[in-house]
Amino acid sequence: MTVPWWQSGVIYQIYPRSFQDTNGDGVGDLKGITRRLGYLAELGIDAIWISPIYPSPMADFGYDVSDYTGVDPRFGTLADFDDLLAQAHAHGLKVLLDFVPNHTSDQHPWFLESRSSRSNPKRDWYLWRDPVPGGGPPNNWISDFGGPAWEWDEASGQYYYHAFLKQQPDLNWRNPAVRAAMQDVLRFWLDRGVDGFRIDVLWHLIKAADFPDNPSNPAYRPELGEMHRVLQQHSTDQPEVHGIAAEMRALADGYGATGQGERALIGEIYLPIDRLMAYYGVEQAGVHLPFNFQLVEALWQARSLAALIAGYEAALPQGGWPNWVLGNHDRPRVATRRGQAQARVAAMLLLTLRGTPTLYYGDELGLGDVEIPPGHVQDPRELREPGKGLGRDPVRTPMPWNASEHAGFSTAAPWLPLNADWPDRNVAHMAAESGSMLTLHRRLLALRRAHPALALGDFAFLEAENDVLAYERSYGEERLVVALNLGAMTQRFEMPVWALDGRPLLSTLADLTPVQDGALLLRPDEGVILTLAD
Ligand code: GLC
Ligand code: CA
């Protein structure tokens, strides 16, 4: 039975600035990732996705790319990358890069050319528009980082569009030359042997051709960010985007038959479920995994989680493989959202649902959002709309490796502060503790590897009442029960008749309690995995 790695495996996201520094500049680098591959292999994940490593002015910390086929000197060299890739493969780990196709840096040579004059051959590689009659931007679109999405270029007398910072001009994906250039970028990395890409803001690539105003948002709440003042009806999720995803998929599939295994595409898409599903492909195959971010926002309550899971499963297209995300470099960390005790239950949920899980670095330690002292804020999202809690620095802090100075992350002061609890909340300390969050992750990942029912099996609900969410995973003869207590009170979970001789395999708490009188007493904040085999 051969199942592609991106279905059976677990993906681990690395924010490279914050994983491991090796040259004492306080910023993580590629050699640092290479140094920690042993840790990752031992943890039990299958693939790493590395946030952008390309040359960049770092206006948006690498999501403003000035050269798609290089490595920023702060991260290392192309040779360092080749070494990382080879060593990752030697450890049995796949490597996904972050592909940022929607926009370049304003310092990218393409944009410098495009901006140089209206008649430049690359003018149409970006989205240039005249002011409206009487002056002012072409329409009411708002940048995702606040403020108008149009920037006036005095020299050439037109506006250009940027969905994010003005240092991140949007490319014109309706231009075939842009598409061809980007296919070349993908080929460059696929030829080097990368196993796939996470595609940044895939749903943004195509905008309505005539740039109509976006409707205003009747439910606008300024505290959530100015971008929500309008609904992104015309600036995102246009039907033509699916043709582009299909082109990328065809390219990736062309490499799949090389013996190295399939090359996977994961789309970053923040859309309601019905729209999200189209990114699996409409007429032709789209991306392998359109990221499913629902758990990040979810209400932590058995019935609503069950409805969310059931709704997602039901909406999947024929052959569409599910996936789950608990956190990433843009959203509050799970330990902060749910608290330490429930973060353990959340980890069990993430790693036992049906579908490919993506784990964010540091979440395996229960790392929380770190308060950034005033004057140390780095993230443009925070700097542009301060005080709304939109900043992302708190979730991008250095990985604490051990109790030595700077937590073993660097020999110098790191670019963002460490978590205050790093003397205890670090890899070395937690690896030695049988009850730690890290040990729990290792056990969960080991169980996933040992039990195809968890990695690949069918899913069926058993209970979603009070604070108990319980389900069955089965594969062939194998049947496992997962029972989660989402609250802080003891809950009684009545085992289904067929599962009466179920035996606990793993608890999020220190010890196991047996099934008694046909029921499992779930202690506060406890999740349990039971097996029916002897
Ligand atoms: C994506 C990235 C985010 C970045 C934005 C613009 O949402 O995850 O970090 O700021 O795209 O590229
Ligand atoms: Ca460094």
Side-chain angles (χ1 to χ4, degrees), residues 397-414:
T397 59
M399 182 78 169
W401 291 102
N402 55 48
S404 71
E405 203 188 2
H406 307 306
F409 166 72
S410 175
T411 52

Side-chain angles (χ1 to χ4, degrees), residues 49 60 63-64 98 100 103 145 164 168 198 200-201 203 268 270 329-330 392 396:
W49 144 37
D60 190 18
Y63 286 96
D64 49 323
D98 207 314
V100 190
H103 43 266
F145 292 159
F164 297 89
Q168 295 168 293
R198 174 265 192 186
D200 191 61
V201 298
W203 86 113
E268 185 206 20
Y270 283 95
H329 63 296
D330 294 327
R392 301 165 298 178
R396 298 174 174 182

Side-chain angles (χ1 to χ4, degrees), residues 3 51 109 170 203 206 257 265 385 405 473 521:
V3 174
S51 282
D170 279 45
W203 86 113
I206 295 276
L265 300 179
E385 293 190 78
E405 203 188 2
R473 300 294 314 277
L521 281 188

Side-chain angles (χ1 to χ4, degrees), residues 273-274 277 280 294 306-318 320 322 324 354 459 461:
I273 289 308
D274 55 324
M277 292 303 166
Y280 280 104
Q294 290 179 99
L308 178 163
I309 296 163
Y312 177 71
E313 286 274 0
L316 284 169
Q318 185 78 39
W324 297 95
R354 193 177 82 92
F459 176 97
F461 283 109

Side-chain angles (χ1 to χ4, degrees), residues 195-217:
D195 301 288
F197 300 90
R198 174 265 192 186
I199 306 173
D200 191 61
V201 298
L202 177 58
W203 86 113
H204 270 265
L205 293 199
I206 295 276
K207 349 295 172 187
D210 49 348
F211 290 86
D213 274 353
N214 273 327
S216 58
N217 177 5

